Amino acid sequence: MAKAEVHDRPPIGLKLVHLDLKGAPPRIVYLAQLFPLFSRLGANALLLEYEDMFPYEGSLEILRAKHAYSPSEIRELLDLAQSNGLEVIPLVQTFGHMEFVLKHKQFSHLREVKWSPNALNPHRPESLQLIHTMTEQVLGLHPGARWLHIGADEVYFLGEGEESQRWLSSSDRLLDSLFVSHVVKVAEQLRSFHPAVKPVMWDDMLRSMSADFLSESGIGQLVEPMVWDYLPNLDVEKTVLLIDKYQKGGLTKLWIASSFKGSTEVNQCLTCIRNHLDNHTQWLQVVKALTRGAVQLQGIALTGWQRYDHFSVLCELLPVAIPSLAACLQTLQHGSFTEEAEQTLKQSLGISAVEVDTFIREDFGSFPGCEVARLVTQVSGYLKVTGDELLEGNRFVVGWFSPYHRKHKFTHPIMVQHFEPEAKGLLLRWECVLDELRAALSQIYYPDTVEEWLQENVSPTLDRLQGLVQDLNKTLQGQED
């Protein structure tokens, strides 16, 4: 049931939809269908985390994914965004989460610690030059950008490299100083070449720092932190105190970041809207509690993570989470998930009912990608469950067609009648859905994404089911002979 209208809504600023392109990057033709919907639902900006989908050139060409966007596709994307009233903020990682760069042999010497490709060594001049080359190429294709997100979150094992150890042992320097010194260098380098472009960064590495330390570092004159929290039970009071500390430390312009998908489980397939609605409701409470005029809230990024990091599996595909995104954007638009917000969502997505408290929904509407959402739900919410129940929970399968029975090709023909029709019927259903799903995914995604998702989410159960039916056919044929 939608909540009553809330009229006292503090200004939030830009509402950015985050597209995490390091996993399952959509084809441009799909984004062309989505951008008008984003705009209609209340978004007015995009946060584009390209990672290896950007068409890096020269010495950086090795960073490109197989199906990386071309420069002309980037320009097409920007034109589509502009025509739909969506400002674009590109994101380039510059410290942590540099796996897509540091995994390559020619850049591995720039790792903070030799065995991990996560963090960049902040001491080497070549590291700063690498960042400069990356940001120059990205901004070269984003000539009108007002902000550049420089990442800088989750810098694992910072301070554990040999050069960092020497730096820290000199004059009892602090780890916080090491982090801030690198960010300051990155920001100053960016501002020197692009005075009109303002750096934005994730805030998590700043959270343990005191207001006095932040003030003395001068970082507030150079960057705008983006405070992120994706939990449905976000601690409002704690977050307000954190933002107050940033304000006292000179970070008076800041952003916040919520989540509409990709923050529940690393291998999540379906999105429960309630988790993300609650996260946005909590963020609205934070904004309402902030002292007016103390900080300038630049905007909110609705993050939609596609991988937890460069090497992890895919989480929810974008089409599956479109209803969640719509509900979250409308919640921001109206101050809560009101009757009007719910009605706008239903009209925009072509659905008759909004199911916020379940992973499984029955009405998939007519929004771009709805067929993928329907088929993914069918696989994850029905076929996987019934397949596992048959293979592991059916007493006739486990009792009369165990691995031992299958290896030695014998069973009791009478008992087979209790599961053979179900097994063959389920296999036929799986194979039909697989053909439909492969075709639907191929309309939106590149072949490597299609194969990855199917291998991770369809093949494990389908292969076992096919093996069961094949062994059953062989066994029954052998016993007849």
Side-chain angles (χ1 to χ4, degrees):
M1 186 69 179
K3 298 178 183 178
E5 182 77 60
V6 174
H7 295 284
D8 182 20
R9 298 194 301 274
I12 285 182
L14 291 175
K15 291 186 279 292
L16 301 88
V17 176
H18 169 242
L19 296 178
D20 179 18
L21 302 175
K22 66 176 174 283
R27 297 176 184 271
I28 300 297
V29 65
Y30 182 59
L31 295 179
Q33 299 171 42
L34 284 184
F35 287 178
L37 178 62
F38 290 174
S39 182
R40 193 158 60 246
L41 289 167
N44 52 16
L46 301 170
L47 179 60
L48 296 184
E49 185 160 355
Y50 286 109
E51 206 173 268
D52 57 3
M53 282 302 290
F54 187 81
Y56 288 107
E57 299 177 342
S59 63
L60 301 183
E61 187 173 353
I62 194 173
L63 305 184
R64 290 190 190 187
K66 181 179 179 180
H67 298 286
Y69 298 140
S70 66
S72 62
E73 286 179 313
I74 297 290
R75 286 189 283 269
E76 182 182 358
L77 187 159
L78 296 178
D79 287 344
L80 288 166
Q82 183 178 26
S83 65
N84 286 284
L86 300 169
E87 181 168 0
V88 172
I89 299 177
L91 188 156
V92 180
Q93 288 287 3
T94 59
F95 208 169
H97 284 299
M98 292 284 287
E99 293 94 346
F100 80 104
V101 179
L102 300 179
K103 71 178 183 181
H104 296 287
K105 186 176 181 179
Q106 69 189 70
F107 296 112
S108 62
H109 65 288
L110 296 178
R111 297 175 179 180
E112 167 68 349
V113 290
K114 292 180 180 180
W115 57 269
S116 172
N118 168 267
L120 190 68
N121 183 326
H123 305 281
R124 300 195 177 184
E126 194 178 343
S127 294
L128 210 56
Q129 181 57 48
L130 168 65
I131 293 167
H132 174 66
T133 305
M134 292 172 65
T135 55
E136 283 300 295
Q137 291 193 20
V138 169
L139 289 174
L141 282 178
H142 295 77
R146 293 195 291 164
W147 288 277
L148 175 70
H149 201 306
I150 61 172
D153 59 318
E154 298 177 334
V155 187
Y156 300 136
F157 306 108
L158 179 63
E160 297 187 19
E162 292 180 8
E163 291 172 84
S164 289
Q165 289 286 307
R166 289 195 296 271
W167 188 91
L168 289 167
S169 64
S170 174
S171 303
D172 295 322
R173 289 165 167 163
L174 300 173
L175 189 61
D176 288 345
S177 299
L178 177 57
F179 175 80
V180 168
S181 66
H182 178 73
V183 172
V184 166
K185 289 176 185 175
V186 171
E188 288 179 339
Q189 178 175 259
L190 176 63
R191 298 290 282 268
S192 67
F193 285 89
H194 301 276
V197 178
K198 297 173 282 294
V200 179
M201 64 176 287
W202 300 115
D203 84 300
D204 53 285
M205 297 294 291
L206 305 175
R207 292 175 190 172
S208 63
M209 301 178 191
S210 69
D212 287 342
F213 177 85
L214 290 169
S215 180
E216 291 169 7
S217 73
I219 195 172
Q221 306 302 313
L222 295 168
V223 302
E224 299 175 3
M226 183 173 279
V227 185
W228 61 271
D229 193 321
Y230 311 140
L231 296 175
N233 60 344
L234 178 157
D235 189 323
V236 173
E237 182 179 0
K238 182 178 177 181
T239 305
V240 170
L241 289 174
L242 176 64
I243 293 174
D244 284 346
K245 182 183 74 172
Y246 288 156
Q247 181 267 323
K248 292 172 184 175
L251 295 156
T252 56
K253 291 183 178 180
L254 53 80
W255 305 69
I256 58 178
S258 57
S259 167
F260 74 90
K261 82 174 190 75
S263 58
T264 307
E265 290 292 344
V266 67
N267 62 343
Q268 191 75 30
C269 287
L270 302 176
T271 305
C272 180
I273 294 176
R274 172 60 63 194
N275 291 341
H276 303 284
L277 267 183
D278 288 349
N279 176 243
H280 285 79
T281 299
Q282 294 299 93
W283 268 118
L284 286 170
Q285 292 301 312
V286 170
V287 173
K288 188 174 182 181
L290 293 176
T291 303
R292 294 295 185 95
V295 295
Q296 183 177 332
L297 192 56
Q298 303 284 62
I300 179 171
L302 294 83
T303 62
W305 299 102
Q306 194 55 75
R307 297 189 196 276
Y308 277 27
D309 63 43
H310 184 74
F311 296 111
S312 72
V313 296
L314 297 170
C315 38
E316 307 109 294
L317 295 174
L318 182 56
V320 174
I322 291 298
S324 175
L325 174 61
C328 294
L329 281 169
Q330 281 296 293
T331 295
L332 295 177
Q333 191 88 342
H334 295 278
S336 67
F337 194 49
T338 63
E339 296 287 352
E340 185 180 352
E342 183 175 331
Q343 190 61 30
T344 299
L345 185 154
K346 290 192 287 188
Q347 291 176 350
S348 298
L349 303 188
I351 60 178
S352 58
V354 182
E355 300 160 276
V356 300
D357 294 308
T358 177
F359 288 99
I360 308 298
R361 52 184 51 89
E362 298 180 0
D363 186 350
F364 295 94
S366 56
F367 61 88
C370 62
E371 187 66 3
V372 166
R374 180 183 70 82
L375 292 166
V376 166
T377 301
Q378 192 169 355
V379 166
S380 301
Y382 171 72
L383 290 178
K384 273 187 181 180
V385 175
T386 53
D388 290 344
E389 286 177 350
L390 174 69
L391 293 163
E392 300 168 10
N394 186 297
R395 66 187 298 263
F396 297 102
V397 173
V398 299
W400 282 271
F401 206 53
S402 69
Y404 186 83
H405 289 92
R406 292 168 65 175
K407 179 179 180 180
H408 295 282
K409 296 183 173 55
F410 75 96
T411 188
H412 197 307
I414 292 177
M415 297 304 178
V416 166
Q417 297 176 24
H418 292 284
F419 68 86
E420 182 184 18
E422 181 184 354
K424 291 185 175 180
L426 187 58
L427 176 58
L428 180 63
R429 181 87 177 271
W430 266 96
E431 290 173 339
C432 290
V433 169
L434 174 60
D435 289 340
E436 286 186 76
L437 182 55
R438 186 184 297 276
L441 287 170
S442 297
Q443 295 295 312
I444 294 174
Y445 296 111
Y446 298 100
D448 53 352
T449 296
V450 175
E451 290 309 310
E452 179 182 358
W453 199 91
L454 293 178
Q455 285 182 33
E456 289 284 355
N457 297 282
V458 174
S459 295
T461 302
L462 180 58
D463 290 350
R464 292 169 65 205
L465 193 56
Q466 288 174 332
L468 177 77
V469 172
Q470 288 169 3
D471 287 351
L472 183 59
N473 288 336
K474 290 178 183 177
T475 298
L476 293 176
Q477 183 65 42
Q479 291 189 172
E480 288 176 5
D481 296 339

